[in-house]
Amino acid sequence: MVTLRALVPDDAPALTRVYSGASIRHTTGKPLTLDQAHEKIRTALARAAETPRAQWSWAILNGDDLIGLISLRRRTLAMGTVSYILREDTWGHGYATQAAHQVVAAAFTTAGLNRLEAMHHPDNPASGRVLIKAGFTHTGTSDRQADGGTTVPYQVYALQNS
């Protein structure tokens, strides 16, 4: 079972491992440097101190091993978005689904949201399966600009608090 916890400064080396290799194929495509990892953590800690809070970022842990990052962002008073990334050597074990279930619960309780949305690159169908298992429903596509000016139809999902 995975656990979530707030990021800490010592997580920077582990974040560089998460944001590398195949894990970043459908994000920036560029590995995260150690300095960028430290900045990502500083930003997450600063956002955690904001009132009202608009973003939550958690380390995804398998035992003591930081294997990913999952975030919840408030977009409106009632709606938020979920995003996640896992280190590629941990794919296929249900870790992202477990983390997503925990974030959905936090979104509808702690954050007081009524609706969540998420999307994934069309070449990453495993992410869509994670979202479906976490209770999301596929709602369509949203065109996003990719490098080189091409348009990519990202798959969009939503979950309404019942």
Side-chain angles (χ1 to χ4, degrees):
M1 175 160 173
V2 301
T3 56
L4 305 182
R5 67 156 169 76
L7 291 168
V8 297
D10 289 345
D11 289 335
L15 274 187
T16 64
R17 285 189 61 213
V18 170
Y19 284 87
S20 66
S23 295
I24 58 170
R25 181 180 313 134
H26 302 301
T27 61
T28 63
K30 297 176 184 164
L32 196 68
T33 67
L34 189 57
D35 285 343
Q36 290 168 327
H38 280 292
E39 182 58 29
K40 184 178 272 298
I41 292 166
R42 281 191 294 274
T43 299
L45 294 173
R47 288 186 173 153
E50 293 175 348
T51 304
R53 192 161 178 181
Q55 183 170 332
W56 295 256
S57 295
W58 296 276
I60 303 171
L61 301 173
N62 180 29
D64 291 333
D65 189 18
L66 190 154
I67 62 168
L69 180 69
I70 189 164
S71 297
L72 170 65
R73 291 172 184 84
R74 183 185 305 275
R75 299 298 185 188
T76 68
L77 283 177
M79 193 275 288
T81 58
V82 175
S83 62
Y84 48 87
I85 185 170
L86 284 182
R87 204 175 62 213
E88 72 177 293
D89 66 329
T90 65
W91 294 350
H93 298 283
Y95 300 142
T97 301
Q98 291 176 43
H101 276 290
Q102 292 178 52
V103 169
V104 165
F108 292 150
T109 57
T110 305
L113 300 173
N114 296 339
R115 179 182 171 87
L116 294 175
E117 294 180 358
M119 64 175 59
H120 70 83
H121 192 281
D123 292 341
N124 186 9
S127 194
R129 291 189 295 275
V130 165
L131 293 168
I132 295 292
K133 289 176 189 174
F136 286 76
T137 301
H138 184 259
T139 59
T141 61
S142 176
D143 288 342
R144 298 194 53 187
Q145 291 293 94
D147 290 339
T150 61
T151 301
V152 179
Y154 273 65
Q155 303 302 303
V156 180
Y157 296 77
L159 176 58
Q160 195 76 30
N161 190 14
S162 51

